[in-house]
Amino acid sequence: ASAATLAHRIEERVTSATSATAASSACSSLQRMRRAIPTIAALVLASAAKMQGAPLRQLHDPDTGLSALFYMPPAAAEPLPLLLYLHGAGESGRELRDLISEGATGTPPVELEHGTALPFLAKHFIVVAPQTDHGWRPAEVNKFLDFLLSSRAGLPIDAARCYVTGHSMGGGGALHAAAAKPSRWAAVVAVAPAGAPRAADLATTPVWCFHGKNDVVVPSGISEHLVQRLRTGGADEGNAKLTLYDAAPAPKGWPAYDGHGSPMPAYATPDLWRWLLEKRLGSGSAA
């Protein structure tokens, strides 16, 4: 045979051997993948289980008589920011589990318990949600903060990064608590607040209000007028913020309360949690 013919035959054999090797390798890889599928599935299921959330724990302040649900990020090894959440009138009473009701969907305690809170909130904040049966009194809220910061509560809270927030009755309660003791709160977030203090009393406190323009329970003018007065008084837009929704939803299970379900979009705003972490007492962040 000619040299060219021999070279062609050698090339065919090498190609055939290479194809066989590749096929064998592919089969081996496929078998390994099949054996790995149960392990991969188990890891996926385990990961999903971690995202399912867990019942929030309870604490009680003997001084104010307030009981609360609380959440602490796993493996918290250093002082963390506190988010104090004040509920609306619909969750008032003496049964703590009412704070996790359907109508409160979107609020931090509900989303943390169900494992649906934004990771930024779940990883970086201690969240405490007290319950009242008589409305939110500023002096009582601030005294409760004293308890949370004490060794009796056992929570690793960074006292320079305490934030108060709430919805409806709780939104108004958050604003009034911060106005009563502005030196205690690094920022306040009010969602559809049912009332507001004098803007001058919040002049040194960063404020972010969220409200539905279509809210049939609490008019959005409360938030709009407060933020306008804060800005007129010298606060910049970064410390007197307002988010208005043209068509906020109704709370889950309360279809007649159109526009009053603004906690659902508000607390699902990633920029909110980043904004809060920028606020620290003594940092000069407030206007």
Side-chain angles (χ1 to χ4, degrees):
S2 66
T5 301
L6 286 173
H8 180 69
R9 289 175 180 173
I10 291 171
E11 183 179 356
E12 286 181 336
R13 290 178 182 179
V14 170
T15 301
S16 177
T18 301
S19 299
T21 301
S24 175
S25 176
C27 278
S28 297
S29 297
L30 184 58
Q31 289 174 351
R32 286 195 297 271
M33 288 176 63
R34 284 173 175 169
R35 287 195 296 269
I37 286 174
T39 302
I40 295 172
L43 289 173
V44 170
L45 289 173
S47 176
K50 290 180 182 177
M51 295 300 293
Q52 287 176 0
L56 303 186
R57 289 179 281 176
Q58 301 184 14
L59 58 78
H60 178 74
D61 173 18
D63 295 334
T64 62
L66 291 174
S67 294
L69 297 177
F70 76 95
Y71 167 87
M72 190 158 56
E78 59 185 26
L80 293 173
L82 166 71
L83 183 75
L84 182 66
Y85 173 76
L86 307 182
H87 63 76
E91 291 76 55
S92 296
R94 292 185 174 274
E95 177 48 62
L96 273 177
R97 298 302 301 172
D98 285 348
L99 298 179
I100 314 297
S101 66
E102 181 185 37
T105 296
T107 64
V110 171
E111 301 309 308
L112 287 166
E113 168 136 337
H114 293 166
T116 51
L118 291 182
F120 211 80
L121 169 61
K123 292 178 180 178
H124 299 290
F125 292 83
I126 292 172
V127 179
V128 179
Q131 186 182 39
T132 181
D133 61 359
H134 52 260
W136 296 111
R137 300 167 181 168
E140 187 175 57
V141 172
N142 285 300
K143 191 173 182 180
F144 182 63
L145 177 61
D146 291 335
F147 166 74
L148 294 178
L149 294 175
S150 73
S151 59
R152 292 180 297 160
L155 300 176
I157 294 171
D158 181 350
R161 294 188 292 171
C162 293
Y163 315 111
V164 60
T165 185
H167 172 233
S168 195
M169 178 183 79
L175 290 168
H176 282 283
K181 290 285 185 179
S183 62
R184 308 295 305 280
W185 303 100
V188 55
V189 178
V191 182
R198 297 187 314 140
D201 294 333
L202 289 168
T204 60
T205 306
V207 174
W208 192 340
C209 291
F210 294 82
H211 221 125
K213 290 183 180 180
N214 60 325
D215 194 325
V216 300
V217 179
V218 178
S220 62
I222 292 176
S223 292
E224 295 176 74
H225 294 157
L226 172 63
V227 173
Q228 181 181 19
R229 290 195 300 269
L230 287 169
R231 292 176 180 174
T232 300
D236 60 46
E237 291 188 5
N239 287 307
K241 295 175 69 68
L242 175 64
T243 297
L244 295 173
Y245 302 110
D246 289 329
K252 291 284 186 71
W254 297 86
Y257 289 6
D258 193 38
H260 200 52
S262 43
M264 286 182 272
Y267 292 117
T269 303
D271 284 347
L272 167 62
W273 309 112
R274 287 189 283 267
W275 179 83
L276 280 178
L277 290 182
E278 294 172 356
K279 309 303 177 186
R280 176 188 294 269
L281 289 175
S283 68
S285 60

